[in-house]
Amino acid sequence: MSEEAAGESKIPASEAVEEEEDQGEDTVESPKTDNPSEEPPAPSDDPKEAAEKSLDPAENTPAEAKEEEEEVEEEEEGKPTGEPPMDWFEPLEDDNDDPDEESLPGETESVAGSERATRQLYQIYGYRRKRAHPEEGWVEWPVLGQGWKRKEVVRRSGSSIGQKDVYYLSPRGDRVRSRVELITVLQGTDLTQFEYKSGKFVEGEIPPVRGRPRTKKRYRDRSSSESSWMDRGDGAETPDSHHRLTPNITPRNVHSNQTSVSLNSSTGESKQSPNSEEKQSEEKIRLPFPSSSRPLSLPSIKGEFGSEESTLICAKCGISFTGTWYDKQRKRPCCPSCWATSKSIEHPLIRFRKWIPCGQCVGCHNAIDCGQCANCKHGLQSPEARKRLCRKRRCICPIRKQSPGSINVTYKRSFVDPVDTYEDSNDVTESQHPSLKSSDTENFSANVDLDDDDMSTDDDDDWHKKRKRRSCGECKACLCRKDCGVCDFCIDKPKFGGSNKKRQKCRLRQCQRQAMRHLLPFQMAGAELGLDAPLLPGRPRPHYTYSRKSSLKRSQDQQADMDYTDDDDDDDEDSNPQPLNHSDFGVRNGVPDRFPHISNHNYSQPDHHSQWDTEKSHTGRNAPKHMEDDEDEFPMITQIFSLAENPAESGMDLENQLMKLLHALRSSVLPILWYAIMVEGPQLQLIQCSKQSNMADTMVLIDPGFCYQVTVQKQPLLPIHPLYDIHPSRLGTATDVVSLLLSLERFVVCQGLTTKQSTFGKGPIVLERAATCDFLIKKNERTCASCKALQELQIHHRE
DNA sequence: GCCAACGTTGGC
DNA sequence: GCCAACGTTGGC
């Protein structure tokens, strides 16, 4: 196996499954070729040219497909003849869905064999539960030019389970996640005919019949059928439904018994690269035929292969039938009837199910789509799109297949795949559907028949809640809808021109109660300040110990006096995290004993939490009052850099104290791109280094007495500005300073009077302001009241 | 133990 | 289809 091929083989199972989800219905993938790198169209520096090549019928001729088909068959035929093909009616051994699980004592030999198979699969495909390496799964994709790579990933869980995402990697390492991004990266290249999903350029909206590039229509067709499979009963009887039901024959299938067969093959391994992209794009339909474990073509999928229909002889029953182009490629084409017959056979898809609906909960009993949820709406809006189960009908306490022995035989067959959860989850939602009663769906109901002694609704039964657990939904940060645009997380966002690496919510919008501490506005400072995280609001960082060492010790050590369950990320998720009221914070954070420098200013300093609240809501004229309210309400916690109040430093000269403050600020993490320097005076000057910031022209000057002044465009902010109202008159602590800076970031600079058009494009733009310009105004305003009034006055005067 | 990075998933 | 952002993990 070539290096590339070896690399390719390490495709996460998820991606393999993806092929099923996305193409499986009309393209149930077969094991791959030996050299995946050859799969994409011939390299070309010119995407267009490459596209044309890719569209060249000669390149995707039936003969070629047949050749590939034969490879598969050969590989199967290459199996040791003495070993009977593994029949997929036959129950699988105890599932080995979790590769981490040890074999249980008493497991049968077949189980062990299965495990071995699993291990082999790991070796072959590099399946593993741990995160797929970023470098894995990429396939050279010269369609876009030399050096481009492509990757497909299937969502493993959630309501969009099975959905496939396609990524591209540019030669420069740009990771492209959408067409929009691709256009950005490939500026200058006409991508109007580039089909992002399939990764090919198409000519016109509908690709040539023989070109076999996937089209949206076909996509939808497939999806539509897929949804039919999910929802309808009768329809599931059709060969198409089998097609849909048939999971990928790609890795995931390979994982199951079919995989085992292949693994037993002396030739199979190298031919099952799951990430053969070209094969993905080839709409091959290979289904495991129940009795033979052979992939067989499906009966025609309407219109998919167009004129290629021809009369074929069913390899199973011998009757003639009209087959498609693909059928024609099969050594053993199968007629629709035989496919229909196979409906009574347990479909391999169920083998991957890890979750099954409880059958008892409200969701399971709900037989009617609500029509209101996102999934229903999605269905209404896109009838052709893949059907998503009404969220109100989703089992709220799905049963997880636990351990061997706890599940009926159907489940015991499965779960060789270590990453099966997504399909399982899918099954959960789908299988609870009451209409799933015929044909394949019977299998689902059968699957609910399980020993329930192992039923569990433990960690994952609320997996769908997990994404909500970082938001209380009540605090001001949660209610805030607007990104600050200046914090590091905002700057990282593509919409702010960032590279999307951090992918975190604006710091100002991190839930004050449940967000991870390190995501909170001041979190970055924690380590550098040497502060213990519990000082801060928000939840402690999780410790994803999992297979790593236990976090118990850390918790004991660190949390003993904080009573702050650090492991909550995992442990708490089962319990309902009680929203902490503000007093809770004061108690829980337990600051006083450990941090004696709690300010006893006249302005007692809010902790970050309350401070946040304050900032978010009290930047107006009424701020002082509210500020006081908040202070009354919340026990105040400060950071430790209370220099002005430190008796030990009372003898220090002012400049030295200012230096101390500077040092404190340097040790701290300031709001993004604010920087503190010492300037003549001495004065401590805080500047916003980002020209993109609204505060690019704003400075804060702190004198040795910690009195401060804010200037905008070198003009001092009027003392009556509300900003001064909500902050202490002296900025004696780093917290004070940070608080002020954060407040500043919530303003924009008044744009003054409207400039004349004549200045457009040339010459310096001179802003004209009212003498009493506020300079800093709310973000939803353009000019301050004074400038506005002046402008009106001028207009009136001209008239 | 921390965090950058990013896979993944939910929402629109 | 796209974006937002949660959760995880490898690397340090």
Side-chain angles (χ1 to χ4, degrees):
Chain A
M1 183 182 285
S2 69
E3 188 175 335
E4 268 185 355
E8 175 113 41
S9 71
K10 291 187 177 180
I11 293 163
S14 61
E15 296 173 31
V17 174
E18 186 169 305
E19 296 178 357
E20 163 200 354
E21 291 294 340
D22 223 42
Q23 302 148 11
E25 286 72 24
D26 48 3
T27 308
V28 178
E29 286 297 315
S30 65
K32 308 300 179 184
T33 60
D34 287 310
N35 190 352
S37 66
E38 295 177 0
E39 291 170 358
S44 167
D45 287 326
D46 178 0
K48 197 71 181 178
E49 178 186 333
E52 287 168 3
K53 286 193 84 176
S54 72
L55 290 172
D56 183 356
E59 188 174 335
N60 292 323
T61 61
E64 181 185 346
K66 183 172 182 176
E67 190 178 318
E68 292 176 4
E69 180 85 6
E70 285 174 358
E71 278 182 11
V72 176
E73 303 217 349
E74 283 168 10
E75 108 190 2
E76 290 191 347
E77 286 167 356
K79 290 191 288 272
T81 52
E83 186 170 342
M86 190 174 289
D87 193 323
W88 47 300
F89 304 162
E90 188 177 332
L92 284 175
E93 300 81 15
D94 291 318
D95 54 281
N96 293 309
D97 59 314
D98 187 347
D100 300 329
E101 288 177 8
E102 296 291 332
S103 296
L104 296 178
E107 278 182 319
T108 63
E109 176 58 30
S110 62
V111 171
S114 175
E115 286 182 345
R116 280 196 299 273
T118 305
R119 280 192 288 272
Q120 280 183 276
L121 281 169
Y122 283 21
Q123 291 167 3
I124 296 169
Y125 298 109
Y127 294 146
R128 50 184 181 176
R129 197 176 285 280
K130 65 183 177 182
R131 184 178 76 172
H133 191 279
E135 300 308 315
E136 288 179 356
W138 292 102
V139 174
E140 297 292 336
W141 206 252
V143 167
L144 291 172
Q146 280 290 3
W148 277 86
K149 295 181 179 177
R150 181 176 179 271
K151 181 179 184 176
E152 297 184 353
V153 178
V154 165
R155 299 182 178 186
R156 300 187 192 178
S157 60
S159 61
S160 56
I161 185 171
Q163 185 172 322
K164 181 172 68 179
D165 294 316
V166 176
Y167 303 98
Y168 293 91
L169 185 65
S170 80
R172 296 190 316 169
D174 302 311
R175 291 171 189 272
V176 177
R177 293 146 57 113
S178 67
R179 166 178 281 274
V180 171
E181 291 183 15
L182 187 62
I183 290 169
T184 303
V185 174
L186 276 176
Q187 281 180 344
T189 302
D190 180 14
L191 295 176
T192 53
Q193 292 185 308
F194 181 73
E195 193 177 70
Y196 184 87
K197 262 302 208 241
S198 67
K200 292 184 177 179
F201 286 88
V202 296
E203 290 180 352
E205 291 191 5
I206 302 175
V209 172
R210 286 180 59 105
R212 288 178 289 137
R214 186 173 300 107
T215 66
K216 286 186 175 181
K217 180 180 181 306
R218 282 165 56 187
Y219 219 44
R220 285 193 295 271
D221 286 345
R222 185 256 308 158
S223 298
S224 176
S225 300
E226 177 180 320
S227 67
S228 297
W229 157 64
M230 290 163 59
D231 284 345
R232 75 189 173 201
D234 296 338
E237 306 263 340
T238 66
D240 258 57
S241 71
H242 274 287
H243 184 193
R244 275 147 201 84
L245 271 172
T246 305
N248 45 350
I249 307 310
T250 48
R252 183 168 290 271
N253 273 6
V254 175
H255 286 167
S256 53
N257 50 356
Q258 187 129 35
T259 297
S260 301
V261 171
S262 297
L263 287 170
N264 290 334
S265 163
S266 59
T267 62
E269 295 183 6
S270 65
K271 299 193 175 187
Q272 296 190 18
S273 171
N275 204 26
S276 176
E277 295 296 336
E278 178 145 16
K279 289 196 174 181
Q280 286 181 13
S281 64
E282 305 229 356
E283 302 291 355
K284 289 185 192 151
I285 303 166
R286 294 172 184 156
L287 294 178
F289 198 74
S291 60
S292 66
S293 294
R294 280 184 175 283
L296 288 173
S297 66
L298 280 175
S300 128
I301 290 180
K302 190 174 179 181
E304 291 207 333
F305 309 117
S307 60
E308 292 294 326
E309 286 191 356
S310 59
T311 301
L312 301 171
I313 304 297
C314 174
K316 192 168 186 189
C317 66
I319 68 166
S320 62
F321 69 100
T322 301
T324 63
W325 175 86
Y326 268 132
D327 293 319
K328 206 169 158 185
Q329 311 311 312
R330 304 283 174 178
K331 284 186 177 178
R332 298 187 178 187
C334 184
C335 73
S337 174
C338 287
W339 280 107
T341 302
S342 66
K343 75 179 180 57
S344 61
I345 298 163
E346 181 181 80
H347 195 279
L349 180 59
I350 59 177
R351 293 176 303 167
F352 306 123
R353 206 184 295 146
K354 185 174 178 180
W355 289 93
I356 52 179
C358 69
Q360 307 294 324
C361 70
V362 175
C364 288
H365 281 142
N366 191 355
I368 302 171
D369 289 345
C370 72
Q372 302 297 319
C373 69
N375 287 358
C376 286
K377 286 177 178 174
H378 179 262
L380 292 173
Q381 290 169 358
S382 309
E384 289 187 321
R386 175 183 169 177
K387 169 78 175 179
R388 297 177 184 173
L389 183 67
C390 170
R391 295 182 181 189
K392 294 289 172 58
R393 300 172 67 182
R394 187 182 279 174
C395 178
I396 60 175
C397 48
I399 300 160
R400 181 181 184 171
K401 177 202 66 59
Q402 289 289 301
S403 57
S406 64
I407 304 294
N408 66 16
V409 68
T410 299
Y411 283 93
K412 288 180 180 177
R413 307 181 49 176
S414 59
F415 312 116
V416 191
D417 185 345
V419 285
D420 50 356
T421 46
Y422 61 96
E423 283 193 16
D424 305 327
S425 297
N426 203 20
D427 291 343
V428 168
T429 57
E430 293 161 357
S431 59
Q432 64 183 297
H433 202 295
S435 66
L436 293 174
K437 282 303 174 187
S438 69
S439 67
D440 307 288
T441 65
E442 291 171 359
N443 292 318
F444 287 122
S445 51
N447 283 305
V448 183
D449 176 21
L450 75 168
D451 300 336
D452 61 359
D453 56 349
D454 233 335
M455 288 171 64
S456 169
T457 59
D458 58 0
D459 54 340
D460 294 303
D461 67 346
D462 58 352
W463 61 269
H464 53 282
K465 299 176 188 171
K466 284 185 177 178
R467 293 182 75 84
K468 292 290 183 188
R469 66 185 177 185
R470 298 294 173 221
S471 278
C472 70
E474 297 170 352
C475 70
K476 287 169 181 169
C478 284
L479 295 175
C480 177
R481 288 291 169 211
K482 193 172 180 183
D483 290 334
C484 74
V486 295
C487 70
D488 53 338
F489 292 156
C490 280
I491 287 177
D492 173 64
K493 294 176 187 296
K495 70 180 180 184
F496 291 118
S499 56
N500 201 31
K501 287 182 176 175
K502 296 179 183 298
R503 299 180 190 170
Q504 300 298 320
K505 189 162 59 179
C506 168
R507 286 190 183 273
L508 298 189
R509 296 175 52 218
Q510 298 287 345
C511 177
Q512 297 161 354
R513 298 170 181 171
Q514 292 169 219
M516 291 289 93
R517 283 194 303 247
H518 70 290
L519 301 176
L520 290 168
F522 300 144
Q523 289 317 295
M524 295 184 296
E528 295 171 39
L529 292 173
L531 296 175
D532 268 359
L535 252 183
L536 304 163
R539 289 153 58 106
R541 272 195 70 92
H543 292 266
Y544 299 108
T545 53
Y546 300 109
S547 60
R548 299 183 183 183
K549 66 180 180 181
S550 165
S551 60
L552 181 62
K553 183 175 183 302
R554 175 195 45 72
S555 298
Q556 289 172 338
D557 292 343
Q558 214 172 57
Q559 306 301 324
D561 58 338
M562 306 307 268
D563 187 28
Y564 208 95
T565 50
D566 204 347
D567 283 337
D568 58 357
D569 191 55
D570 291 317
D571 300 338
D572 286 359
E573 64 189 41
D574 290 336
S575 62
N576 250 340
Q578 295 298 317
L580 301 175
N581 61 36
H582 301 301
S583 56
D584 283 340
F585 272 112
V587 173
R588 281 177 176 257
N589 285 327
V591 170
D593 289 344
R594 298 180 65 177
F595 302 97
H597 295 301
I598 290 189
S599 169
N600 50 6
H601 275 200
N602 292 336
Y603 262 97
S604 62
Q605 300 168 14
D607 64 0
H608 304 304
H609 182 136
S610 52
Q611 201 169 5
W612 221 229
D613 285 346
T614 301
E615 288 177 8
K616 295 181 77 62
S617 58
H618 306 316
T619 52
R621 299 277 175 186
N622 296 329
K625 179 180 182 302
H626 292 284
M627 179 78 174
E628 290 167 9
D629 291 344
D630 282 352
E631 287 173 316
D632 290 339
E633 185 179 354
F634 308 144
M636 298 309 168
I637 303 164
T638 72
Q639 287 185 274
I640 61 176
F641 301 104
S642 180
L643 304 175
E645 301 298 328
N646 192 337
E649 295 170 0
S650 58
M652 299 175 70
D653 63 81
L654 294 176
E655 181 172 352
N656 200 11
Q657 288 200 28
L658 206 53
M659 285 299 294
K660 279 276 197 179
L661 179 58
L662 175 67
H663 180 72
L665 290 168
R666 293 270 175 88
S667 303
S668 214
V669 173
L670 303 180
I672 190 73
L673 292 178
W674 279 96
Y675 193 70
I677 56 176
M678 192 67 86
V679 296
E680 272 187 336
Q683 279 188 319
L684 205 164
Q685 188 178 86
L686 288 128
I687 55 176
Q688 167 54 260
C689 300
S690 169
K691 292 197 181 298
Q692 294 183 349
S693 169
N694 293 325
M695 293 296 107
D697 296 321
T698 302
M699 283 194 305
V700 178
L701 287 162
I702 306 173
D703 69 22
F706 299 106
C707 293
Y708 71 100
Q709 183 182 59
V710 176
T711 68
V712 178
Q713 294 167 356
K714 298 184 179 177
Q715 301 294 315
L717 208 59
L718 292 176
I720 58 170
H721 194 281
L723 180 75
Y724 291 120
D725 292 331
I726 60 173
H727 291 280
S729 58
R730 298 201 304 167
L731 302 177
T733 70
T735 299
D736 286 338
V737 175
V738 171
S739 175
L740 177 73
L741 298 181
L742 287 168
S743 288
L744 283 171
E745 293 287 359
R746 301 191 62 77
F747 288 96
V748 294
V749 176
C750 170
Q751 297 185 23
L753 278 62
T754 306
T755 53
K756 294 175 184 175
Q757 288 292 331
S758 59
T759 63
F760 178 78
K762 283 191 173 182
I765 297 174
V766 179
L767 278 179
E768 191 176 347
R769 299 181 182 280
T772 54
C773 175
D774 286 343
F775 284 105
L776 298 182
I777 57 178
K778 292 179 183 175
K779 284 190 172 177
N780 58 353
E781 297 172 349
R782 186 183 170 279
T783 54
C784 69
S786 300
C787 289
K788 204 176 295 178
L790 181 59
Q791 177 113 46
E792 288 170 1
L793 198 64
Q794 287 184 348
I795 293 171
H796 182 72
H797 183 69
R798 287 193 205 107
E799 291 171 349

